[in-house]
Amino acid sequence: MGLVELLKSHILCHLIIGYVFLASGLLVNLLQLCTLPLWWFNKQLARTVNCRLAYCISSQGVALLDWWSGTKCTLYTDPKDYPMYGKENGIVVLNHNFEVDFLCGWSFCERFGVLGSSKVLVKKELAYMPVIGWMWYFLEIVFCKRKWEEDRIAVTQSLKKLRDYPENFWFLLFCEGTRFTAQKHQISMEVAEKKGLPKLKHHLLPRTKGFWVTVQNLRGSVVAVYDTVLNFRNNETPTLLGILSGKKYHADLYVRRIPLESIPEGEAECAAWLHKLYQEKDNFQEEYIQTGRYPGPIVNSPQRPWPLVNWLCWSVLVLYPLGVFLVSLVSTGSTLSILVSVAFCSAASLVFRWMIGQTEISKGSGYGNKGNNNG
Ligand SMILES: CCCCC/C=C\C/C=C\CCCCCCCC(=O)SCCNC(=O)CCNC(=O)[C@H](O)C(C)(C)COP(=O)(O)OP(=O)(O)OC[C@H]1O[C@@H](n2cnc3c(N)ncnc32)[C@H](O)[C@@H]1OP(=O)(O)O
Ligand SMILES: CCCCCCCCCCCCCCCCCC(=O)OC[C@@H](O)COP(=O)(O)O
């Protein structure tokens, strides 16, 4: 292991990265709170400002993936569709198999200039997470409880608000509703069998209601569905801790653009369409496993330097006062203030570790497990 690799895997580096993320993130959350009065006077301006502020947070994740760990993301898509990416609103349907799929998603959003504005149908539990969850509140992210009786009205209302959104956005849907595990796969295939649907080898059975309600409510403002399949080379299953330790991975993403007008309007027809889409996704996945490629050519989608610039700027801004504070603490601080500071840093480290834990499949919810559909 070289010196740089050793440094990247050192806990001190992780603590510094965690401190920059939490301190800058909470500062951005505070700035977002300050935009509240603006919503009354100029809602569209408030939304634009919040997109820029959110970029300051989520692009740190991209910097971590692209620049710190050096992970490469290769895009397979039709070159004819490529110019449309980022220039129109799209619904992204992505397979939910990896702990860092959201980071790869963010990385592609960044390349196409829609990182600050991008949306997702996300479980309500994540709304309470400091920094990211609080940021999402100001981005008008759509939260769901994964209980259709309760979600139907709330999700519809949130989606309707996005119709006049001033920035182009991608709306991410993990239609499986939870991360892939062998047990959840077995159970969802039992459901597929009962419903007379063909089995899927690599995906959980998709939940169709969220997709249908999203398509119906965003018709007119969203132009296309982007069917996307993500995989990592060499059968790797990357983790956020691995990326934090500087481990380099190689992601391959397949994107297929499907015009929204080709999707049926009725609920049953739309559900059948989604089930067919997942069978096709399963075939693309199988092709990737067999050949190491997706259909179609590789298109160059270059990284931009802005996540790194943003990260460096925030690092200087929050590390300088920390340095000054530590020097004064050591030179003049009492034992009590040193102890209080150590306790505070330990608590912040635990919060950061807890946030990382949210990405870990082993700590995932019981949703989709037998007898615990909404667990
Ligand atoms: C590459 C480009 C990327 C771009 C990225 C863009 C943006 C990035 C932005 C942010 C990144 C951050 C990412 C954060 C990730 C976090 C994401 C999540 O939180 S995923 C969880 C939340 N999302 C979803 O659940 C979406 C899918 N779910 C639905 O659509 C659901 O229908 C619902 C609307 C949530 C309602 O939930 P409910 O449980 O009530 O579902 P259903 O009503 O559908 O369930 C009953 C239905 O399902 C059948 N059933 C029962 N058991 C199963 C099973 N195990 N598997 C499948 N189906 C099952 C049951 O028979 C019922 O069927 P029917 O509908 O026919 O009656
Ligand atoms: C330098 C910058 C550092 C950035 C590091 C960021 C550290 C903390 C990041 C935490 C961000 C978490 C936000 C996304 C969480 C993704 C978790 C997820 O994918 O949710 C799972 C749900 O789909 C379903 O849940 P389960 O039913 O599977 O349970």
Side-chain angles (χ1 to χ4, degrees):
M1 191 188 272
L3 187 65
V4 175
E5 282 80 19
L6 199 70
L7 205 67
K8 282 184 178 178
S9 64
H10 200 282
I11 181 121
L12 194 64
C13 282
H14 305 166
L15 289 176
I16 292 173
I17 290 171
Y19 164 75
V20 171
F21 176 71
L22 285 180
S24 62
L26 290 173
L27 222 66
V28 168
N29 286 159
L30 194 69
L31 290 173
Q32 289 185 302
L33 205 61
C34 296
T35 66
L36 275 180
L38 191 57
W39 288 79
W40 302 109
F41 301 114
N42 191 337
K43 186 175 158 190
Q44 297 299 54
L45 178 63
R47 285 168 143 179
T48 302
V49 171
N50 272 285
C51 288
R52 303 292 173 274
L53 289 172
Y55 181 89
C56 296
I57 297 177
S58 24
S59 74
Q60 289 190 37
V62 177
L64 190 77
L65 182 81
D66 288 351
W67 295 93
W68 177 260
S69 88
T71 292
K72 295 279 164 251
C73 298
T74 301
L75 177 66
Y76 289 73
T77 197
D78 187 336
K80 284 205 298 297
D81 294 336
Y82 184 84
M84 258 95 89
Y85 300 157
K87 308 277 181 336
E88 61 184 14
N89 294 341
I91 296 171
V92 176
V93 178
L94 180 62
N95 55 317
H96 206 7
N97 302 50
F98 299 102
E99 294 187 355
V100 298
D101 48 16
F102 74 97
L103 270 189
C104 295
W106 276 351
S107 175
F108 278 99
C109 287
E110 206 296 313
R111 288 161 203 222
F112 294 100
V114 289
L115 178 61
S117 55
S118 276
K119 313 285 170 229
V120 57
L121 177 58
V122 69
K123 60 178 180 181
K124 184 78 184 166
E125 293 88 323
L126 292 177
Y128 310 110
M129 179 190 277
V131 181
I132 304 255
W134 300 347
M135 159 189 96
W136 278 340
Y137 175 78
F138 292 95
L139 281 184
E140 299 166 80
I141 290 295
V142 181
F143 294 104
C144 65
K145 293 186 175 168
R146 297 187 285 189
K147 290 184 183 129
W148 179 241
E149 321 79 63
E150 292 175 51
D151 286 336
R152 197 163 53 88
I153 295 171
V155 168
T156 304
Q157 278 172 352
S158 305
L159 286 165
K160 282 197 170 126
K161 287 188 190 146
L162 297 180
R163 283 177 180 167
D164 65 343
Y165 208 73
E167 305 264 317
N168 285 331
F169 62 83
W170 289 350
F171 189 101
L172 174 64
L173 266 176
F174 289 116
C175 295
E176 301 97 310
T178 187
R179 270 89 51 96
F180 188 100
T181 67
Q183 192 188 354
K184 289 180 182 181
H185 179 245
Q186 190 201 327
I187 290 160
S188 80
M189 287 309 102
E190 284 166 17
V191 176
E193 200 171 339
K194 278 192 203 125
K195 288 185 168 183
L197 291 163
K199 298 256 173 84
L200 299 168
K201 200 168 161 189
H202 308 290
H203 294 84
L204 302 180
L205 189 68
R207 314 272 178 160
T208 57
K209 291 191 175 73
F211 178 75
W212 172 66
V213 88
T214 304
V215 167
Q216 283 310 92
N217 284 289
L218 293 183
R219 250 180 224 284
S221 59
V222 161
V223 188
V225 165
Y226 298 152
D227 172 31
T228 51
V229 185
L230 176 72
N231 275 292
F232 289 87
R233 290 194 188 165
N234 309 317
N235 270 330
E236 292 211 87
T237 47
T239 63
L240 193 48
L241 278 181
I243 283 167
L244 199 58
S245 301
K247 192 164 176 348
K248 183 178 177 162
Y249 301 98
H250 197 131
D252 284 316
L253 185 82
Y254 176 54
V255 181
R256 186 167 57 129
R257 183 182 180 279
I258 304 169
L260 201 81
E261 66 255 23
S262 66
I263 300 171
E265 295 202 10
E267 183 178 352
E269 294 79 6
C270 187
W273 187 92
L274 187 70
H275 283 305
K276 187 165 163 285
L277 185 88
Y278 266 74
Q279 283 147 30
E280 290 166 5
K281 283 172 97 63
D282 224 42
N283 293 339
F284 294 135
Q285 180 85 12
E286 183 64 24
E287 181 171 342
Y288 184 85
I289 291 167
Q290 298 298 335
T291 66
R293 309 188 40 98
Y294 298 115
I298 290 173
V299 177
N300 182 30
S301 58
Q303 285 175 9
R304 306 189 305 170
W306 307 123
L308 184 62
V309 172
N310 171 74
W311 201 20
L312 292 176
C313 289
W314 281 108
S315 299
V316 172
L317 203 74
V318 299
L319 282 174
Y320 178 71
L322 179 72
V324 172
F325 173 74
L326 286 180
V327 169
S328 77
L329 192 70
V330 170
S331 54
T332 62
S334 65
T335 314
L336 182 68
S337 48
I338 292 177
L339 282 178
V340 168
S341 306
V342 169
F344 184 77
C345 290
S346 310
S349 314
L350 287 178
V351 169
F352 188 56
R353 183 62 189 89
W354 171 79
M355 288 174 82
I356 291 172
Q358 296 302 303
T359 68
E360 293 170 0
I361 294 177
S362 60
K363 297 191 181 132
S365 73
Y367 181 78
N369 273 337
K370 194 163 246 160
N372 194 7
N373 195 36
N374 293 316

